[in-house]
Amino acid sequence: MNELNLVLSNGREIPLQPGRITIGRGAGNNVVLNVTQVSRRHAEIRYDGRDCLLVDLGSTNGTAVDGRALTPHQPYPLRPGSVVSMGGQAVFRIEESIAEEVPFYSGEEPPARASTSPWIFVLGGLAAVLLVALVVVAALLLRAQKGEGTQTAGASPVAAVATATAPPVGGQTQPTAEVLPPTALLIPTPPPSGAGGQVPPAAGGQPPPGGQVPQLTSIVPTLQGWATSLAPLFPAGTPGALPGTERYAAPILVSPDNGASFQGQDAAIFLTWQSVGHLKADEYYNVSMRYSQNGQIQFAGGWVQKTEWRVPDWLFGRADQGRFEWNVTVHQAFTIRQDGSKEGPAISPKSETRFFIWTEKEEKAPTPEGPSPTPEGPSPTPEFDK
């Protein structure tokens, strides 16, 4: 079952564990909210791993779920997407987590990769054979067309071979040319109309068996049909994959805008894009991030089935000049690495690449305090009641 997360208004995510989670302004709560409208012990969440309930503990300013006020001490169910307000202010929401992030690694030692399934190489070899067959057929067609254009009217093709005559003169065999009767050519054109598919014998030759000329052009559609049938077995990015077999179009990025700027460790940066359609259970959006750290290129990212991914705050401060580049591709999960992350080929083109900038917040310099200005003119004389 997918896990539930409690997402605070500042973007912090807290995974829910079975049990009771108290929420309030007091320091003894499991979740402490430094909000004036929140009571010291405001509410609690009761979670058994399946059902999630929220109970108002008799707070002063009340609790609401999606705008609906709760009756104190009465459990109310929470679902993914529920927004909880306390004292009229939204303080957290419930989200369902179905994403698995790809762990960050420095690039010094690549993670262990699981062995690739052997059937991929078998299918790749079969695709290579089909491609070679298509090339051979195209070459034969081109050669036959050139040969047809160079023949003159009434001329028949002949072949000359070297044969040996006996007895040899001076102990050596002298080659002589012997002219062989002409043979019918395989012409990749349909038979003339009215001939019923019969081809007349060439001068001095015999018609091919059955009187039919093999049509090389009929082989091409057959091979193309095989390639079309096998295309789903060769996702883009696999060895020997046929071009144009992507299952989805390139994802279209939505936000943040290219060149957007963010500040501070509490910044909540969500990368979002448009859906490419309904993904299967083994298909994911692969969010790829790239940045430079001390002149070395580093990578991070995640595999998700939602159309958004939040940049983890531990990345803040790592990039030179705070610049991060990102793009999204749809992948199919074929294997699982030892660390639990997924691996598989791309089944869509890569999206455009955008970048954003993260910097530390600038602290304002304190205003110097000087002596209070002395008012000009004589001090007013105080008046007293008589």
Side-chain angles (χ1 to χ4, degrees), residues 252-257 271-275 307 326 352 354:
I252 299 177
L253 306 186
V254 177
S255 65
D257 294 333
L271 310 181
T272 64
W273 54 92
Q274 294 183 9
S275 172
T307 55
W326 65 284
E352 64 170 316
R354 291 187 181 182

Side-chain angles (χ1 to χ4, degrees), residues 64-82:
V65 178
D66 296 329
R68 179 177 179 180
L70 303 187
T71 303
H73 305 289
Q74 294 295 324
Y76 188 86
L78 294 179
R79 298 178 178 84
S82 298

Side-chain angles (χ1 to χ4, degrees), residues 47-68:
Y47 183 52
D48 61 1
R50 184 182 61 180
D51 297 326
C52 186
L53 303 175
L54 177 65
V55 180
D56 184 279
L57 300 178
S59 62
T60 302
N61 296 315
T63 306
V65 178
D66 296 329
R68 179 177 179 180

Side-chain angles (χ1 to χ4, degrees), residues 12-100:
R12 179 188 172 194
E13 295 186 9
I14 303 175
L16 293 182
Q17 302 295 334
R20 297 195 177 192
I21 302 173
T22 59
I23 305 171
R25 190 159 42 90
N29 294 284
N30 301 114
V31 178
V32 179
L33 300 177
N34 189 18
V35 179
T36 306
Q37 296 88 340
V38 176
S39 301
R40 293 184 179 275
R41 195 167 181 269
H42 196 107
E44 72 175 9
I45 294 176
R46 300 172 184 176
Y47 183 52
D48 61 1
R50 184 182 61 180
D51 297 326
C52 186
L53 303 175
L54 177 65
V55 180
D56 184 279
L57 300 178
S59 62
T60 302
N61 296 315
T63 306
V65 178
D66 296 329
R68 179 177 179 180
L70 303 187
T71 303
H73 305 289
Q74 294 295 324
Y76 188 86
L78 294 179
R79 298 178 178 84
S82 298
V83 178
V84 177
S85 302
M86 294 183 178
Q89 180 175 346
V91 291
F92 68 87
R93 68 180 184 272
I94 300 297
E95 284 191 358
E96 189 175 23
S97 175
I98 60 175
E100 289 191 18

Side-chain angles (χ1 to χ4, degrees), residues 59 116 178 310 321 346 378:
S59 62
T116 305
E178 177 183 355
R310 181 178 180 177
Q321 289 81 45

Side-chain angles (χ1 to χ4, degrees), residues 154-326:
S156 299
V158 297
V161 297
T163 60
T165 59
V169 180
Q172 296 187 0
T173 302
Q174 300 294 329
T176 60
E178 177 183 355
V179 179
L180 299 180
T183 58
L185 290 177
L186 298 180
I187 303 174
T189 55
S193 59
Q198 300 293 328
V199 177
Q206 299 294 329
Q212 296 286 342
V213 175
Q215 301 297 316
L216 295 181
T217 53
S218 65
I219 302 176
V220 176
T222 302
L223 294 177
Q224 290 177 342
W226 292 350
T228 303
S229 301
L230 292 175
L233 300 178
F234 298 93
T238 58
L242 299 177
T245 57
E246 293 88 355
R247 302 181 190 175
Y248 301 99
I252 299 177
L253 306 186
V254 177
S255 65
D257 294 333
N258 199 30
S261 298
F262 302 89
Q263 286 188 345
Q265 288 290 339
D266 57 348
I269 306 177
F270 287 89
L271 310 181
T272 64
W273 54 92
Q274 294 183 9
S275 172
V276 298
H278 179 71
L279 300 183
K280 299 180 181 178
D282 60 346
E283 296 173 347
Y284 296 83
Y285 295 105
N286 180 14
V287 184
S288 177
M289 289 189 59
R290 185 179 68 173
Y291 61 96
S292 173
Q293 183 179 18
N294 300 325
Q296 300 293 325
I297 300 299
Q298 308 291 348
F299 295 91
W303 287 47
V304 297
Q305 288 189 318
K306 299 186 296 184
T307 55
E308 68 173 17
W309 183 74
R310 181 178 180 177
V311 180
D313 54 7
W314 54 262
L315 278 175
F316 300 160
R318 290 177 177 264
D320 299 336
Q321 289 81 45
R323 179 188 174 100
F324 294 87
E325 297 181 357
W326 65 284

